[in-house]
Amino acid sequence: MTNFVEELRWRGLLHDIMPDTEAHLLEHATAGYIGFDPTADSLHIGSLVQILILKHFQNAGHKPIALVGGATGMVGDPSGKSAERNLLDEASLQKNIEGVKAQLSRFLDFNSSENPAELVNNFDWMKDISLIDFVRDTGKHITVNYMMAKDSVKKRLSSESKVGMSFTEFTYQLFQGYDFYHLYKEMDCKLQMGGSDQWGNITTGTELIRRKAQGKAYAITVPLVTKADGTKFGKTEGGNVWLDANRTSPYKFYQYWLNASDEDAEKYIKIFTFLDKEAIEALIIEHRETPHLRLLQKKIGEEVTIMTHGQEAFDNAIKASQILFGKSTSEDLKSLDEQTFLDIFEGVPQASVSKEDIDNGLDMIGALAAKTGFLNSNGEARRALKENAISVNKEKVKEDFVISTSDIIANAYVLLQRGKKNYFLLKIA
RNA sequence: GGGGAGAUACUCAAGCGGCCAACGAGGACGGACUGUAACUCCGUUGACUACGUCUUCGCAGGUUCGAAUCCUGCUCUCCCCA
């Protein structure tokens, strides 16, 4: 058994810890859990931290339990929310649970002989509890005064909050507390971990265990991952960065990490990779000497992408990145087979043009605006051409350029580009 | 209820009879530079059949050779006094 708490500490992943937790974990192989909300059918990289914590926990010789909140997801956690949440209907909840389960299984080892991971759904034990039982056996142990003292509740009761809080959300912490109690009783689970916003909910659990079972349970929270520029971690203009390849392609996923700022990268390499302390320190030093090489960002991107999507997806992401950002030429583009080409430009907006148009030679104004809608107006197209902003198949073109048959890539496409980052595909139909 | 101010392009904000497709700032986009970055510099930012034409300055009318600018009505916003 290695020192799990120390591991979190040097990685900057320790926010709050209950007294005696570290000592207990050093002496006993312990079962510990983290809950995941099935609010969508995929987790995003915000949840990745929690998953990796469980993985570290397992690596340290303890038993990780991933709890999917099938029941609590029906109630809604008020923590960190300023307004009442919408409830999910049962069908989408079920779909989400399945999706989240599948993703968790990728990261944790469920077949270890020593300390296999386990996946549980709190709906399984919550569904049979009657309201009367719950109120008598659980509610009796926790005072409303105690519950009201939690930040998540206080914030919503204070005058700052314009909306009130429903009884449903008020009850949430008792539900989560009961989960902890249940796992404590049934699986000898003595530790709950989670984001720093979960501290209140977790301590309701340890309190319940103390009063109802005269037991001792422990808690660890990890800090919220932040970005140096103050924007929200895990968000792009396109929305959340998901772990599901269908929602966020491995290429975009890799790019997200690659684009991290230097300051963030020094934090992220500790949080999101399993490299040891020496390796990370060496990398950081090297990175500071040659920041333009972006060793840290590349390493993080590599480790996390492989961990999440596998080696092959990572290789493709690299290939795509080189084509999009490297010094690739139209020759490189033309050498691609159709499948790879489509993978790389997956999600790029496109429009169809007829084969005849190409055969007859398509002028640039038509290709950019009149026939495709890539740019808003012919005037804008003319301006862009004048600004030297337009490329066809990665090569800059002038207003008099005409697209012809020889420009077709992968049998049916022509790649248009405005500036460096705006791509558009013409599909020859 | 009484009095006052205002509504201009993505946002803020000039203009107050012709020189206005409308100063300036921010944003956005592009170019140079760069690390697929930051900073900096430069350019573009109503449309078109494009050295010209057309449609825009809350809405609808009017005055005038000519209106974002003046007049009338309407809608909305803000402020002050009750």
Side-chain angles (χ1 to χ4, degrees):
Chain A
M1 228 155 18
T2 57
N3 190 339
F4 171 67
V5 174
E6 179 53 31
E7 182 82 20
L8 294 190
R9 195 173 282 134
W10 78 260
R11 286 181 187 275
L13 281 170
L14 202 58
H15 183 262
D16 224 335
I17 181 165
M18 202 166 268
D20 307 329
T21 305
E22 185 166 9
H24 180 88
L25 290 178
L26 277 172
E27 282 167 32
H28 309 275
T30 308
Y33 93 96
I34 295 181
F36 294 89
D37 246 3
T39 41
D41 65 1
S42 167
L43 297 168
H44 46 82
I45 60 177
S47 318
L48 195 53
V49 185
Q50 328 295 339
I51 299 175
L52 298 180
I53 296 284
L54 279 183
K55 184 74 182 153
H56 278 297
F57 192 64
Q58 185 168 38
N59 289 350
H62 302 287
K63 181 182 178 65
I65 300 170
L67 180 149
V68 182
T72 34
M74 298 178 90
V75 177
D77 182 2
S79 303
K81 302 283 187 300
S82 56
E84 185 86 11
R85 301 214 304 198
N86 295 321
L87 295 179
L88 294 165
D89 65 78
E90 222 164 308
S92 47
L93 198 62
Q94 194 52 42
K95 179 166 161 275
N96 294 351
I97 291 168
E98 292 309 316
V100 168
K101 266 188 183 175
Q103 283 176 343
L104 288 171
S105 342
R106 286 191 60 101
F107 291 90
L108 299 169
D109 179 2
F110 289 85
N111 300 312
S112 159
S113 54
E114 293 292 311
N115 54 340
E118 285 207 43
L119 194 65
V120 296
N121 179 351
N122 60 12
F123 186 74
D124 292 340
W125 58 83
M126 289 289 197
K127 66 175 192 295
D128 296 324
I129 300 175
S130 77
L131 177 61
I132 292 178
D133 290 343
F134 189 74
V135 167
R136 284 183 64 97
D137 299 341
T138 302
K140 199 69 182 167
H141 296 278
I142 300 289
T143 63
V144 170
N145 311 52
Y146 178 82
M147 292 171 73
M148 302 248 296
K150 306 282 179 186
D151 275 354
S152 60
V153 176
K154 264 200 294 198
K155 206 183 275 174
R156 289 283 291 281
L157 294 180
S158 78
S159 48
E160 289 167 42
S161 173
K162 296 217 160 41
V163 277
M165 183 185 207
S166 67
F167 179 72
T168 311
E169 288 199 355
F170 178 62
T171 322
Y172 182 86
Q173 55 172 296
L174 265 191
F175 273 66
Q176 187 166 330
Y178 184 83
D179 281 341
F180 198 0
Y181 169 79
H182 175 88
L183 293 175
Y184 174 84
K185 285 296 257 190
E186 301 300 319
M187 301 176 77
D188 196 28
C189 173
K190 291 204 168 87
L191 173 70
Q192 183 179 173
M193 296 165 282
S196 53
D197 58 337
Q198 292 299 310
W199 185 256
N201 291 333
I202 295 175
T203 51
T204 300
T206 58
E207 187 69 9
L208 194 61
I209 289 167
R210 195 170 66 77
R211 300 201 183 186
K212 195 166 147 91
Q214 289 76 48
K216 176 119 180 91
Y218 303 92
I220 291 176
T221 57
V222 301
L224 239 54
V225 180
T226 53
K227 287 187 15 178
D229 63 5
T231 54
K232 207 170 177 223
F233 172 76
K235 290 263 190 193
T236 64
E237 300 97 59
N240 280 324
V241 180
W242 301 94
L243 301 185
D244 180 352
N246 294 321
R247 282 184 174 239
T248 301
S249 70
Y251 160 71
K252 285 193 193 126
F253 185 83
Y254 174 73
Q255 285 287 326
Y256 183 80
W257 299 104
L258 193 67
N259 283 320
S261 71
D262 292 350
E263 196 179 331
D264 288 335
E266 290 190 14
K267 275 194 318 190
Y268 294 172
I269 187 103
K270 294 180 194 159
I271 297 176
F272 293 102
T273 74
F274 284 89
L275 301 174
D276 62 39
K277 201 170 177 178
E278 288 71 37
I280 287 179
E281 279 168 359
L283 267 176
I284 289 181
I285 288 169
E286 211 181 331
H287 179 259
R288 284 183 181 165
E289 281 165 7
T290 54
H292 58 281
L293 296 180
R294 286 193 293 163
L295 291 168
L296 286 177
Q297 286 90 338
K298 283 179 184 162
K299 193 67 186 169
I300 298 168
E302 177 183 345
E303 295 280 320
V304 184
T305 307
I306 291 176
M307 192 156 45
T308 309
H309 295 298
Q311 181 73 43
E312 195 185 330
F314 168 71
D315 291 342
N316 281 333
I318 290 288
K319 199 167 171 187
S321 300
Q322 270 164 3
I323 287 183
L324 289 172
F325 297 106
K327 291 191 183 72
S328 60
T329 61
S330 81
E331 294 313 307
D332 293 336
L333 274 176
K334 282 174 185 162
S335 71
L336 292 175
D337 63 83
E338 188 168 355
Q339 189 52 49
T340 313
F341 180 83
L342 285 177
D343 280 350
I344 292 173
F345 294 104
E346 179 260 326
V348 168
Q350 48 175 273
S352 302
V353 291
S354 70
K355 185 83 171 63
E356 289 162 43
D357 285 334
I358 302 293
D359 286 342
N360 296 335
L362 181 57
D363 64 290
M364 287 317 296
I365 302 293
L368 289 170
K371 300 218 179 231
T372 63
F374 176 25
L375 303 183
N376 289 324
S377 68
N378 294 358
E380 197 175 332
R382 281 203 185 82
R383 273 199 302 275
L385 285 161
K386 216 168 278 169
E387 284 167 345
N388 197 27
I390 301 298
S391 304
V392 171
N393 296 336
K394 303 287 295 184
E395 284 176 11
K396 288 272 154 90
V397 298
K398 292 270 183 315
E399 186 160 357
D400 55 9
F401 187 83
V402 174
I403 296 174
S404 63
T405 322
S406 61
D407 296 309
I408 295 174
I409 310 173
N411 294 323
Y413 296 93
V414 176
L415 180 68
L416 298 180
Q417 213 178 330
R418 179 195 200 187
K420 293 187 184 97
K421 287 180 178 169
N422 295 306
Y423 288 91
F424 193 83
L425 278 182
L426 295 187
K427 186 170 168 45
I428 318 302

